[in-house]
Amino acid sequence: MVPVVWRSEPPALDRVPETVLPFACGRSYGDSCLNDGGALLDVAGLDRLIAFDSDQGILRCEPGVTLAQVLALIVPRGWFLPVLPGTRWVSVGGAIANDIHGKNHHRAGTFGAHVTRLELMRSSGERLLCSPSENSALFRATVGGLGLTGLILWAELRLKRIPGSGIAMQSVRFPDLNGFFDLAATDADHEYTVAWVDCLAGGRRLGRGIYMRGDHTSLAGDAPSPLREARLRMPFDAPPGLLNRLTLRAFNQLYYRRQLRRQVDSVVPYPPFFFPLDGLADWTRLYGPQGFLQYQCVVPDEPGGGPIRAVLDRVSRSGETASLAVLKRFGDAPSAGMLSFPRPGLTLAVDFGFRGHRTLELLEDLDGIVRQAGGAVYPAKDARMSAASFRRFFPEHEAFSRLVDPKFSSSFWRRVHQP
Ligand SMILES: Cc1cc2nc3c(=O)[nH]c(=O)nc-3n(C[C@H](O)[C@H](O)[C@H](O)COP(=O)(O)OP(=O)(O)OC[C@H]3O[C@@H](n4cnc5c(N)ncnc54)[C@H](O)[C@@H]3O)c2cc1C
């Protein structure tokens, strides 16, 4: 690891013998934040807030600042991040480099759409201001650029106003995929929408789940500090086989039935609404020593569900341990980056306990459905997509590869960028 501590005195990258890749919080699931055989630039020390205009809602900060740090500063002042992922332990640099999306994609688009400008250092030592109007090609390559275009030294974000730190939330149970489509038809009425789906249910229950929608509201009292660590921690690796189809089926059934009424309304502080998994530190150990793979795809939204129905059907019949699944309809806003994953359609994210070649074969099959439908798989969650799939999923890959810094590389990039 090469530490990067001062943005005024970054390391001379041409003196590092190997290829380099920025590394922030390591919350990407796959190998896009890894550089096997090369060096990682540890940006955790670049964690300073630089300037905050609390009238205009413009924040400038270093890239190692976490979203938790930003929320701790801005929420008490009536501002909020325009896009949030499912964990707050993600850096601003990482959020830009994966052009992350959240539960409000249908209204706000991706994180990159709210980045007004950033400073990028190339391995030559050259420092460039990039924005939608200045060095715009490099800006479009860096947003969603998987850390391959250079090192972001600082970024400026446009925030949004909120009435308070609460979320008025509704959870609505739906019996099948058509039930999801009926509820998602009202997406535009709410700021945040997402559904949990029982991936093990097949047949007439295929796609059943719980749809959650929420809007900002005031809260009686303060929301818990986003900087507070989880009270619960998974203290050891779960024994192999603990999460099997039987235990997951029982869990899913309980979760699906947990609310007696079809719809439950509540007001909750914003952290548990956005970051349910942050409540249990080291939750990944639940999968045992074999670990897990997350798979996230987006496919066009066809009448009757076409490709998403095919994906869910293949998963439910697979015999694999598919646990958490999240389904959401993306909006039409164009993504800011050349390699941004979000595009109009339905996105599904599923965790699979890793069972070797059987799991890999299933995911390859799913890639086939996604390729045929004209969709994409999310690089931030990937450790195995083929070079051929990558080229199909990201049509701007050639223009992007011309803007990659020659000194920068990653395990993901070497896998997918083959002649
Ligand atoms: C529980 C959980 C929930 C999640 N939910 C979502 C979600 O809802 N939506 C979503 O889109 N993603 C989600 N993610 C994925 C996560 O948001 C992304 O992987 C994010 O990019 C991780 O940021 P990081 O700070 O951990 O960066 P890392 O994983 O360390 O790095 C990510 C990328 O950013 C690059 N990078 C980091 N810093 C810099 C820099 N200074 N300059 C240039 N490049 C840089 C790295 O090279 C790498 O390519 C989730 C992840 C978890 C664990």
Side-chain angles (χ1 to χ4, degrees):
M1 283 260 198
V2 179
V4 189
V5 184
W6 303 106
R7 66 179 187 281
S8 53
E9 287 174 41
L13 299 183
D14 52 359
R15 293 215 201 112
V16 181
E18 312 97 336
T19 61
V20 296
L21 180 76
F23 181 88
C25 300
R27 289 303 200 276
S28 301
Y29 285 75
D31 56 358
S32 65
C33 65
L34 302 178
N35 190 15
D36 199 19
L40 292 175
L41 305 174
D42 178 4
V43 302
L46 286 180
D47 61 351
R48 299 167 196 91
L49 298 158
I50 302 171
F52 176 41
D53 178 340
S54 60
D55 292 327
Q56 301 298 319
I58 301 284
L59 175 77
R60 186 154 16 118
C61 66
E62 293 184 340
V65 165
T66 61
L67 303 188
Q69 266 177 281
V70 176
L71 290 167
L73 171 79
I74 65 175
V75 173
R77 292 166 177 82
W79 292 98
F80 209 67
L81 277 161
V83 172
L84 278 178
T87 172
R88 59 197 188 265
W89 305 118
V90 158
S91 69
V92 167
I96 296 172
N98 275 318
D99 197 15
I100 62 166
H101 56 272
K103 298 176 177 62
N104 60 347
H105 182 274
H106 59 289
R107 282 201 180 171
T110 58
F111 196 88
H114 308 273
V115 176
T116 46
R117 51 190 185 137
L118 55 85
E119 188 180 18
L120 188 73
M121 187 182 87
R122 305 279 282 181
S123 60
S124 58
E126 190 183 9
R127 296 165 73 140
L128 296 153
L129 264 186
C130 302
S131 74
S133 56
E134 203 173 345
N135 294 310
S136 56
L138 205 48
F139 181 78
R140 285 194 65 237
T142 300
V143 172
L146 304 168
L148 295 165
T149 60
L151 177 66
I152 300 169
L153 292 172
W154 58 262
E156 194 177 79
L157 315 175
R158 200 182 308 104
L159 309 174
K160 69 170 184 188
R161 277 265 183 223
I162 47 167
S165 57
I167 296 287
M169 169 182 163
Q170 295 175 341
S171 314
V172 191
R173 209 165 54 199
F174 54 91
D176 55 22
L177 197 54
N178 289 339
F180 168 81
F181 289 129
D182 291 344
L183 288 162
T186 63
D187 270 359
D189 300 343
H190 298 276
E191 177 75 20
Y192 303 102
T193 63
V194 73
W196 167 82
V197 170
D198 178 359
C199 263
L200 298 181
R204 63 191 167 80
R205 298 200 180 97
L206 185 83
R208 75 172 179 178
I210 295 182
Y211 179 85
M212 280 160 271
R213 49 196 177 202
D215 292 283
H216 290 284
T217 187
S218 53
L219 188 71
D222 293 330
S225 165
L227 297 172
R228 199 160 74 192
E229 298 279 341
R231 288 218 186 95
L232 296 174
R233 178 173 293 276
M234 180 67 192
F236 51 81
D237 286 345
L242 177 75
L243 283 193
N244 54 44
R245 277 180 78 84
L246 214 63
T247 49
L248 282 172
R249 215 179 268 286
F251 172 82
N252 287 358
Q253 179 69 12
L254 278 174
Y255 193 89
Y256 180 67
R257 301 267 168 221
R258 73 184 173 156
Q259 58 186 58
L260 296 175
R261 279 173 290 139
R262 179 179 164 269
Q263 176 169 331
V264 174
D265 295 16
S266 53
V267 172
V268 294
Y270 76 87
F273 177 78
F274 288 100
F275 317 121
L277 282 173
D278 287 352
L280 177 64
D282 293 337
W283 58 269
T284 50
R285 303 181 85 172
L286 280 170
Y287 289 90
Q290 300 285 77
F292 70 103
L293 288 176
Q294 182 165 116
Y295 185 81
Q296 183 168 0
C297 62
V298 55
V299 288
D301 187 2
E302 289 177 9
I308 202 72
R309 199 175 281 283
V311 169
L312 282 168
D313 190 53
R314 180 72 186 85
V315 172
S316 80
R317 288 172 192 272
S318 68
E320 290 299 301
T321 48
S323 51
L324 272 181
V326 174
L327 179 62
K328 167 153 185 74
R329 183 179 272 148
F330 279 149
D332 296 337
S335 290
M338 291 179 180
L339 290 194
S340 294
F341 161 73
R343 57 203 74 186
L346 294 162
T347 183
L348 179 78
V350 193
D351 287 352
F352 292 97
F354 186 60
R355 301 204 302 166
H357 68 91
R358 280 184 299 191
T359 316
L360 293 173
E361 277 165 19
L362 168 66
L363 300 191
E364 193 50 42
D365 280 2
L366 298 183
D367 279 4
I369 300 173
V370 174
R371 271 198 309 266
Q372 203 169 359
V377 170
Y378 192 9
K381 313 256 176 107
D382 177 73
R384 25 81 29 213
M385 80 169 75
S386 68
S389 289
F390 175 77
R391 284 196 292 269
R392 284 282 290 277
F393 297 154
F394 297 97
E396 285 195 76
H397 65 93
E398 270 176 20
F400 171 78
S401 66
R402 288 194 286 276
L403 293 164
V404 167
D405 186 301
K407 181 82 184 164
F408 282 59
S409 187
S410 68
S411 301
F412 174 87
W413 185 238
R414 287 187 291 278
R415 179 158 48 81
V416 301
H417 185 62
Q418 291 169 6

